[in-house]
Amino acid sequence: MPSAPQLTARPAGRPLTGTVRAPGDKSISHRSMIFGAMATGVTEVEGLLEGDDILATARAAEAFGATVERLGEGRWRVTGQGGLKTPASVIDCGNAGTGVRLLMGAAAGYPVTATFDGDASLRKRPMKRVTGPLTEMGARFDWAAEEDRLPVTVQGGDLKGIDYLQTVASAQIKSAILLAGLNASGETVITEPEKSRDHTERMLRAFGAEVGVEPVGEGWKITLNGGQALTGTTVSVPGDPSSAAFPLAAGLIVPGSSVTVEGVMLNPLRTGLFDTWIEMGADLTIANERESGGERIGDVTARHSALKGIVVPESRAASMIDEYPILAATAAFAEGATVMRGVGEMRVKESDRISLMVNGLRACGVRVEEEAEGFIVAGGPVKGGATVATAHDHRIAMSHLVLGLAAEQPVSVLDPEMIATSFPGFVEMMSRLGAEIAG
Ligand code: S3P
């Protein structure tokens, strides 16, 4: 029987050093394709993340009537028709929750019928959090198999703006409603309990729309008038802090290392992990801070550090929700316990990330306590020497591979192919820094 695909990270045994460039931000890359398709005229994108998730969204943009061309590495042109058309076939969003949820919101605003589907992991993820508010606005959804799960067919058009109070801080929900609200009658108002990433609000403005934002408690209230058209523009995609986290984590835990990742986006709604690492005692420095494409970016250097466990403030969860797996991997090397609570949303990502991290870390000899909405990682010697299940989740795979670089024994991960959804070239980049990760 052929053996299952896997990758193995071997203890580095020597410092990791060097300077690399972060791949393009996944959130902004998805949005550039979707906004480009909705807009009138040409959108030129540079620095696009050419990961599988984004390629699925690019194909969806084409299926909805836009012309999508690849001009060179990371350079893409989207020519929009000023609206979306009914696609000829099912829109397959692959593994991408952001892709499908934002596209459902965008499609709901136009008089189109479109069926959305995804891979086995995406078919397990809840969709009503987005279709619920879109239904309130007037869109209709037909579930093919099971309510709340893909595949689903949307019939859009004739929407009315809503006043929506979000119960979870989720940029995906907020963005889907805003994209639908662009083509709804009247005003759409969203109140978020806590601030979530604001790339949609920023990009709406860059494409010529007006969006009002005012602080309310810990969150904010966002207001958008319907009937606003988007005009194509240029988008410069900054480096993804969620991807930069992996080489930087390796720099922190492999003795003697110094790793620099250039061009990392420093939007404060995305840098919760960096704040947390610094509180844990990490030698993490930012140089060459500058503006690029409407975002602050900088070059981030991580040097090997004696980390200490902390209680991560729950209010920080939204600004680092995708980073808890790699935080947990680094926490395994800290002195004392790292407490991560208020992160129930981790259970509905590409996998149940709490459960997968708990099992993976335990298999590597780390003491971990699991809670319903969180987990606690006790620092100490990390044995490794395990083969870890990833449930085809890119961040679970990369987190355990980074752990393996500083463990006593090699760590293998099963089904690592999904790394290509967000970080194509991960293995090659880590090798350039001196890491040994191979199949
Ligand atoms: C994203 C929002 C987050 C994040 C995802 C990307 C986005 O999801 O986990 O990887 O681009 O808006 P939620 O909004 O559901 O928390």
Side-chain angles (χ1 to χ4, degrees):
M1 216 172 71
S3 57
Q6 60 180 63
L7 278 176
T8 300
R10 298 187 184 284
R14 63 192 159 109
L16 302 182
T17 52
T19 299
V20 290
R21 228 191 143 66
D25 187 68
K26 183 154 78 74
S27 294
I28 294 180
S29 295
H30 275 301
R31 285 162 174 79
S32 69
M33 289 290 137
I34 298 170
F35 281 59
M38 295 171 78
T40 302
V42 174
T43 293
E44 301 262 4
V45 187
E46 58 124 9
L48 187 87
L49 168 67
E50 294 178 332
D52 293 344
D53 277 12
I54 308 304
L55 299 180
T57 296
R59 283 192 295 273
E62 259 187 328
F64 276 113
T67 305
V68 180
E69 301 157 272
R70 183 177 191 269
L71 307 176
E73 204 186 319
R75 288 201 307 118
W76 290 63
R77 178 188 294 145
V78 185
T79 309
Q81 305 300 319
L84 305 185
K85 310 258 179 307
T86 290
S89 49
V90 172
I91 302 292
D92 180 357
C93 292
N95 193 242
T98 306
V100 74
R101 292 188 178 125
L102 270 58
L103 281 165
M104 285 198 290
Y110 299 100
V112 302
T113 304
T115 301
F116 292 95
D117 203 354
D119 69 7
S121 146
L122 195 56
R123 280 182 169 202
K124 286 193 198 137
R125 298 179 65 186
M127 293 296 147
K128 266 185 127 172
R129 47 179 53 206
V130 165
T131 63
L134 295 176
T135 303
E136 268 183 56
M137 296 174 85
R140 272 163 299 154
F141 291 90
D142 267 325
W143 306 100
E146 190 189 332
E147 198 164 284
D148 200 19
R149 298 287 184 270
L150 298 179
V152 69
T153 300
V154 59
Q155 237 185 293
D158 251 336
L159 303 189
K160 281 194 218 48
I162 47 169
D163 189 338
Y164 193 71
L165 178 65
Q166 278 191 196
T167 47
V168 272
S170 158
Q172 292 182 356
I173 303 174
K174 171 176 69 176
S175 302
I177 300 170
L178 287 174
L179 292 181
L182 268 183
N183 293 302
S185 61
E187 200 178 61
T188 293
V189 181
I190 303 167
T191 308
E192 279 199 297
E194 274 158 44
K195 294 176 180 161
S196 68
R197 65 191 71 192
D198 60 353
H199 308 307
T200 295
E201 296 89 312
R202 287 170 183 254
M203 207 180 274
L204 279 170
R205 292 195 193 102
F207 277 76
E210 272 178 35
V211 195
V213 176
E214 59 183 280
V216 174
E218 296 296 300
W220 47 31
K221 185 167 124 181
I222 301 141
T223 310
L224 177 86
N225 279 321
Q228 300 194 63
L230 301 182
T231 308
T233 186
T234 54
V235 179
S236 170
V237 182
D240 196 328
S242 304
S243 298
F246 298 102
L248 292 172
L252 292 179
I253 60 176
V254 175
S257 297
S258 176
V259 169
T260 298
V261 184
E262 288 180 333
V264 181
M265 175 167 53
L266 300 171
N267 180 321
L269 300 168
R270 296 288 301 282
T271 51
L273 173 68
F274 298 163
D275 300 334
T276 302
W277 273 340
I278 289 168
E279 281 173 23
M280 292 171 77
D283 182 353
L284 195 78
T285 51
I286 297 173
N288 200 11
E289 270 196 60
R290 55 208 188 268
E291 287 282 322
S292 172
E295 292 282 3
R296 242 183 135 55
I297 64 169
D299 305 335
V300 185
T301 298
R303 294 184 189 82
H304 176 243
S305 306
L307 299 175
K308 286 198 169 49
I310 62 163
V311 177
V312 182
E314 293 186 28
S315 59
R316 205 175 275 164
S319 70
M320 54 178 291
I321 193 64
D322 291 337
E323 280 66 81
Y324 284 90
I326 188 62
L327 170 63
T330 54
F333 296 90
E335 187 193 321
T338 299
V339 181
M340 293 163 278
R341 292 200 168 113
V343 291
E345 276 293 296
M346 284 180 74
R347 294 202 186 271
V348 290
K349 294 294 176 188
E350 285 83 328
S351 68
D352 176 345
R353 287 183 171 161
I354 294 182
S355 157
L356 268 288
M357 283 313 297
V358 167
N359 293 340
L361 290 175
R362 280 186 185 151
C364 293
V366 180
R367 280 184 301 119
V368 194
E369 255 178 67
E370 181 169 3
E371 298 179 350
E373 306 232 328
F375 58 130
I376 300 166
V377 174
V382 180
K383 289 200 195 78
T387 298
V388 169
T390 64
H392 300 270
D393 183 327
H394 52 135
R395 298 199 202 280
I396 299 296
M398 288 187 278
S399 298
H400 285 96
L401 289 171
V402 168
L403 179 102
L405 299 175
E408 288 164 18
Q409 299 292 322
V411 173
S412 301
V413 300
L414 295 173
D415 304 312
E417 72 290 341
M418 283 302 172
I419 290 173
T421 61
S422 69
F423 204 149
F426 167 75
V427 171
E428 295 72 15
M429 185 185 286
M430 296 305 293
S431 306
R432 261 185 281 134
L433 295 170
E436 211 187 310
I437 299 177

